[in-house]
Amino acid sequence: LQALGYLRRPRSAQSLDNAETLFRRALEIDPEYALAHAGLCRTYLGKYRLDRRSMHVEPAKGSCNAALSFDPKLAEVHVALGSLFRHTGEYELAELEFHRAIVLNPRIEPAFYGLGRVYSAQGKLEESEDVLRYAVNLEPGYWGTHLALGNFYVNFGRPAEAIDPYTRVTELNPGYAMGFSNLGAAYYNSGDVANAEKAYLRSIAIDPTEFALSN
């Protein structure tokens, strides 16, 4: 549970290293604990998303396969597999695994989140929006689903609609600099320069990166 908590934080090398350490400690206690293997799979995928180094892909596959071998009826295992296939571009397999997770647990938010991202990648925009909205409604207190919905609107040319979900991100995770940067971009691309400036300044106050300053 501690490791899963780190996975729900904004992605960073430190949070992912912490998650890996804790999942491995769980596996020292029970080497056949499928949930920990599935968590390791998602951790390696997070590292791949962070630095795009292919060295993380094989360990992710190994952890996902171990999870599947120990408990194929655990919804979280299929979420991890779906995430693996999504990041390797195997969208049909990813969609299948997320649907399997949902059948096993109809209220498993990460499966709907992942399915929404798969639909976006496939150009199924209406389905993607519906699923991402459903994920937000399932767990309205988790900043990550609001971020995914906001990103969907921005990526498909609807910045004004991204303002509300991005605002929720900043409310739920006020120490997340990128959240305010995203909100600033949504305001800016909607023509609201004054509120864009306020959001960008909040981002810079948290973390004065080159990216935030250039915005």
Side-chain angles (χ1 to χ4, degrees), residues 35 38 45-46 50 62-63 83 107 118 150 155 170 180 201 209:
L35 188 60
L45 289 173
L50 194 65
S63 295
S83 298
R107 295 191 59 79
V118 167
N155 291 338
T170 64
F180 286 100
L201 289 173
T209 64

Side-chain angles (χ1 to χ4, degrees), residues 23-168:
F23 282 130
R24 291 195 178 282
R25 286 179 64 185
L27 289 171
E28 287 173 6
I29 299 168
D30 182 359
E32 297 184 2
Y33 188 29
L35 188 60
H37 284 291
L40 267 181
C41 177
R42 292 177 58 198
T43 301
Y44 288 126
L45 289 173
K47 292 187 175 189
Y48 173 71
R49 293 183 66 188
L50 194 65
D51 60 24
R52 293 299 176 185
R53 297 174 68 185
S54 59
M55 60 181 285
H56 302 304
V57 175
E58 285 306 315
K61 289 181 179 178
S63 295
C64 271
N65 288 332
L68 187 64
S69 69
F70 290 126
D71 194 346
K73 294 184 179 180
L74 188 66
E76 287 82 358
V77 169
H78 295 281
V79 170
L81 281 166
S83 298
L84 174 64
F85 290 132
R86 180 168 75 84
H87 290 301
T88 55
E90 299 169 274
Y91 298 126
E92 290 184 2
L93 290 175
E95 185 177 346
L96 179 64
E97 292 298 335
F98 287 132
H99 279 298
R100 284 174 174 164
I102 291 165
V103 169
L104 291 166
N105 180 357
R107 295 191 59 79
I108 187 165
E109 172 271 324
F112 289 99
Y113 166 88
L115 186 59
R117 298 291 299 275
V118 167
Y119 284 152
S120 292
Q122 293 173 319
K124 300 176 181 178
L125 304 189
E126 185 174 347
E127 294 93 331
S128 177
E129 183 176 0
D130 288 345
V131 170
L132 289 173
R133 282 187 170 278
Y134 188 74
V136 167
N137 290 331
L138 269 181
E139 198 167 350
Y142 176 45
W143 64 273
T145 51
H146 295 279
L147 177 65
L149 183 60
N151 289 344
F152 169 84
Y153 289 134
V154 167
N155 291 338
F156 294 101
R158 298 158 64 181
E161 292 175 77
I163 292 172
D164 282 348
Y166 280 162
T167 298
R168 288 295 292 143

